[in-house]
Amino acid sequence: VSEAFTAPLPNTIRIRTSHTQNNAKADSSSSEDAISDFCQGTNEFWKNLVIEPVRNYVEIQPAESTVTATSDALTKLTAPPERPGIPRPVWLTILGSVPTGLIWYGYYKFSVEEELYQYEMQETGKVSGAGGYGTLFPFVYAILIGFPMTLLHIPGGELLIEAAGAWILLGQVNLYKRVNELCMEEEDIRAELGLTDPPLYEWWALLPPPLDVVVGLRQVHFLSEFWRVKRGYPSEKDVIADELFPFISMKDRFTLKQFFRRPKYWFWFTKEWDDFNNISFLQD
């Protein structure tokens, strides 16, 4: 019996196993190529619809062309995308977004998507996202066209708006996936960030407000931290993420039940509250 378990596999079985593994790798590579080709084509198509002065201003730049470790907030808020990307902590993102009614957040979304796109192209020659142009502008054009159509009761307007929402939502899920991969791909980066597991649940992007904001703020924080480490910048305290809203910078990835059960995750004034361990449906 022992010989039956220790005997080498017949050549035919080894050949079939090898062929199966090779086919799986080929299928995976083919799928990655198809996704990359689609994303690159989408990015180029929408880029060609943007006027030249805008394209020139937001053209990707080498790291520290505009932003350095000592740059002020205004410089960071108005800088074109760079490769590797610009660290944009939560406090800076809120500073740009709230006073402008989220208009600057649109620029943030464009910039981080374009930085990831260009970084992936440089590192692997393939991309897994549609970049700033391919992610943001289909949404913008669909809203600009669809909203007046709905006001004028022209058929198709609501469909355009729904398609715009679906496109930007799927892009957000994909962004969280890519941030997780970046944070975990190199051991030294994981150690610097203090992570043992990916920090985000991608599917939380599909949750209703304000729960989708929870994972959105964590994405802003960890992407900013990744670029900071990549550029070799020193760590700086983010009062929003580190003090006022502890859940943003927590190293451990928590579940929805854990988030609701543990007030210490929520706000600065709930850090000392006891967990709600007496609520049965919040237990893991």
Side-chain angles (χ1 to χ4, degrees):
V1 174
S2 61
E3 291 179 357
F5 284 103
T6 59
L9 290 172
N11 289 336
T12 54
I13 296 178
R14 283 202 297 267
I15 290 172
R16 288 173 183 170
T17 302
S18 176
H19 284 173
T20 301
Q21 292 173 343
N22 289 337
N23 288 338
K25 290 179 180 178
D27 290 343
S28 175
S29 178
S30 176
S31 176
E32 289 177 0
D33 289 342
I35 291 172
S36 181
D37 290 344
F38 170 78
C39 290
Q40 290 183 56
T42 302
N43 185 275
E44 286 299 318
F45 173 82
W46 291 99
K47 183 176 181 179
N48 290 331
L49 297 181
V50 176
I51 60 175
E52 186 174 356
V54 173
R55 292 203 310 265
N56 291 340
Y57 181 81
V58 298
E59 187 70 26
I60 195 78
Q61 303 294 322
E64 300 201 326
S65 297
T66 304
V67 173
T68 67
T70 59
S71 294
D72 58 37
L74 183 60
T75 300
K76 294 177 181 178
L77 289 171
T78 57
E82 294 185 358
R83 184 181 57 218
I86 297 171
R88 301 176 183 86
V90 174
W91 71 263
L92 181 73
T93 305
I94 292 176
L95 177 65
S97 300
V98 173
T100 61
L102 295 181
I103 292 175
W104 183 85
Y105 181 77
Y107 184 63
Y108 168 85
K109 178 67 175 174
F110 172 87
S111 296
V112 298
E113 290 284 357
E114 191 66 16
E115 286 171 345
L116 285 172
Y117 178 91
Q118 297 294 340
Y119 178 75
E120 288 179 338
M121 283 294 293
Q122 182 184 56
E123 294 295 306
T124 67
K126 297 179 183 180
V127 294
S128 56
Y133 293 101
T135 300
L136 186 65
F137 283 97
F139 171 79
V140 171
Y141 279 108
I143 293 296
L144 290 177
I145 298 172
F147 186 68
M149 288 176 65
T150 59
L151 292 179
L152 298 173
H153 304 289
I154 299 175
E158 291 184 0
L159 180 61
L160 269 178
I161 293 176
E162 291 173 0
W167 179 259
I168 206 71
L169 194 60
L170 290 175
Q172 200 72 358
V173 172
N174 189 43
L175 173 61
Y176 297 164
K177 172 180 177 292
R178 293 151 75 202
V179 170
N180 277 341
E181 292 170 349
L182 289 173
C183 289
M184 303 303 294
E185 69 181 6
E186 297 180 21
E187 186 174 348
D188 58 336
I189 290 180
R190 290 201 305 272
E192 179 72 19
L193 297 177
L195 297 173
T196 56
D197 296 302
L200 310 175
Y201 284 110
E202 296 99 333
W203 66 270
W204 279 32
L206 306 177
L207 294 173
L211 292 175
D212 60 338
V213 178
V214 171
V215 68
L217 290 171
R218 282 176 63 79
Q219 171 264 302
V220 171
H221 172 74
F222 283 103
L223 180 57
S224 176
E225 283 293 281
F226 172 79
W227 291 134
R228 177 188 66 78
V229 174
K230 204 70 178 175
R231 288 185 175 218
Y233 291 173
S235 178
E236 294 184 3
K237 190 172 186 177
D238 184 338
V239 66
I240 302 293
D242 296 328
E243 291 190 4
L244 298 183
F245 303 96
F247 68 85
I248 297 175
S249 60
M250 284 191 59
K251 311 298 184 184
D252 297 329
R253 182 170 63 171
F254 47 82
T255 65
L256 281 174
K257 287 184 177 181
Q258 290 169 340
F259 179 69
F260 285 118
R261 189 173 74 238
R262 298 171 179 169
K264 62 185 177 183
Y265 291 177
W266 302 348
F267 308 106
W268 70 98
F269 58 86
T270 62
K271 285 183 178 180
E272 305 302 323
W273 292 13
D274 294 332
D275 292 351
F276 300 139
N277 292 323
N278 57 336
I279 302 177
S280 59
F281 72 85
L282 291 181
Q283 304 307 310
D284 293 328

